[in-house]
Amino acid sequence: DQQVKQNSPSLSVQEGRISILNCDYTNSMFDYFLWYKKYPAEGPTFLISISSIKDKNEDGRFTVFLNKSAKHLSLHIVPSQPGDSAVYFCAASPANNDMRFGAGTRLTVKP
Amino acid sequence: EPEVTQTPSHQVTQMGQEVILRCVPISNHLYFYWYRQILGQKVEFLVSFYNNEISEKSEIFDDQFSVERPDGSNFTLKIRSTKLEDSAMYFCASSLSGANVLTFGAGSRLTVL
């Protein structure tokens, strides 16, 4: 049931540079997309979201882009900071709240 | 800031034993969820609960699993007869409405021996 895919298990970037995390989905019924961030020994925390009526949403250093035709979304973090090092989960849901998560991408930001 | 609390943080049990994982969702939230993450794998949806009944469940959530909101504040996940493959981190989450932003607890690690 791989409806949400994050094909890169890990990503390493230098502090100050841009981090780009990618996510693909297969279910065309998904209309709400979210990114969660997870530190070790903690539950996922909500980071940023985007609905299917938009193609971009920005919140400070974080921007999510949605390409509906390609069923692809990405999270951009710029500039990246060492505190951003965490596992990032892409999630998607249709209106009924049955949220599906990707496998996660471990981001390491090196000082 | 309101948070979702889960107990225990870690439970070790023998195969075949019953386990109850407890969660206290955020007090004004109406939707409740259980997810799990097997070590090294993705976060998987188990079940969602609204208005005192299950609203959605995944294929993982078989007859060995049940959920209950016994007293209006706790939300529990019971595994009747644990299997080795039930070893995972179990996350409870809640949300206020269909806005879809979930607040997660810190998780309960279940180890089945």
Side-chain angles (χ1 to χ4, degrees):
Chain A
D1 181 90
Q2 287 269 305
Q3 296 187 54
V4 179
K5 299 178 188 178
Q6 293 177 257
N7 292 318
S8 299
S10 63
L11 174 69
S12 181
V13 300
Q14 207 65 35
E15 181 179 6
R17 300 293 188 106
I18 185 171
S19 297
I20 300 177
L21 299 115
N22 293 303
C23 178
D24 297 291
Y25 62 96
T26 57
N27 189 340
S28 57
M29 299 299 291
F30 289 146
D31 61 6
Y32 193 60
F33 305 89
L34 307 92
W35 284 93
Y36 284 81
K37 178 177 174 180
K38 184 182 180 304
Y39 292 115
E42 295 182 14
T45 56
F46 169 72
L47 187 58
I48 192 169
S49 65
I50 188 168
S51 73
S52 60
I53 61 171
K54 301 177 95 174
D55 54 18
K56 177 182 175 182
N57 188 29
E58 191 171 349
D59 182 3
R61 297 186 296 113
F62 302 91
T63 303
V64 56
F65 295 92
L66 176 63
N67 182 334
K68 289 186 290 293
S69 60
K71 293 192 175 70
H72 177 84
L73 67 156
S74 60
L75 174 68
H76 293 209
I77 307 173
V78 56
S80 301
Q81 299 172 354
D84 296 330
S85 297
V87 177
Y88 289 79
F89 290 98
C90 169
S93 73
N96 67 358
N97 285 354
D98 184 2
M99 193 170 297
R100 302 293 187 185
F101 281 78
T105 297
R106 180 177 301 279
L107 173 67
T108 303
V109 180
K110 297 178 179 177
Chain B
E1 188 172 325
E3 59 181 24
V4 175
T5 56
Q6 290 186 241
T7 55
S9 57
H10 189 191
Q11 181 157 357
V12 181
T13 191
Q14 294 291 324
M15 190 169 58
Q17 295 295 303
E18 176 183 283
V19 160
I20 297 176
L21 305 177
R22 292 182 167 81
C23 171
V24 179
I26 293 174
S27 59
N28 63 337
H29 283 188
L30 301 176
Y31 294 77
F32 313 109
Y33 311 84
W34 283 99
Y35 286 80
R36 79 173 186 190
Q37 186 182 24
I38 295 170
L39 187 64
Q41 299 185 25
K42 65 177 183 178
V43 176
E44 300 174 294
F45 169 76
L46 293 179
V47 66
S48 59
F49 192 87
Y50 170 70
N51 201 26
N52 284 320
E53 60 183 24
I54 290 173
S55 47
E56 295 286 341
K57 61 181 181 178
S58 71
E59 57 276 8
I60 302 168
F61 195 88
D62 62 20
D63 292 344
Q64 292 298 312
F65 291 88
S66 62
V67 288
E68 197 176 35
R69 189 157 160 78
D71 56 14
S73 64
N74 290 283
F75 178 52
T76 60
L77 174 70
K78 182 193 289 187
I79 309 174
R80 260 180 272 283
S81 177
T82 50
K83 303 187 286 287
L84 295 175
E85 53 266 36
D86 293 327
S87 295
M89 191 73 139
Y90 287 80
F91 293 103
C92 173
S94 68
S95 65
L96 180 59
S97 67
N100 293 339
V101 177
L102 276 58
T103 302
F104 283 83
S108 292
R109 179 169 295 286
L110 176 64
T111 301
V112 182
L113 302 177

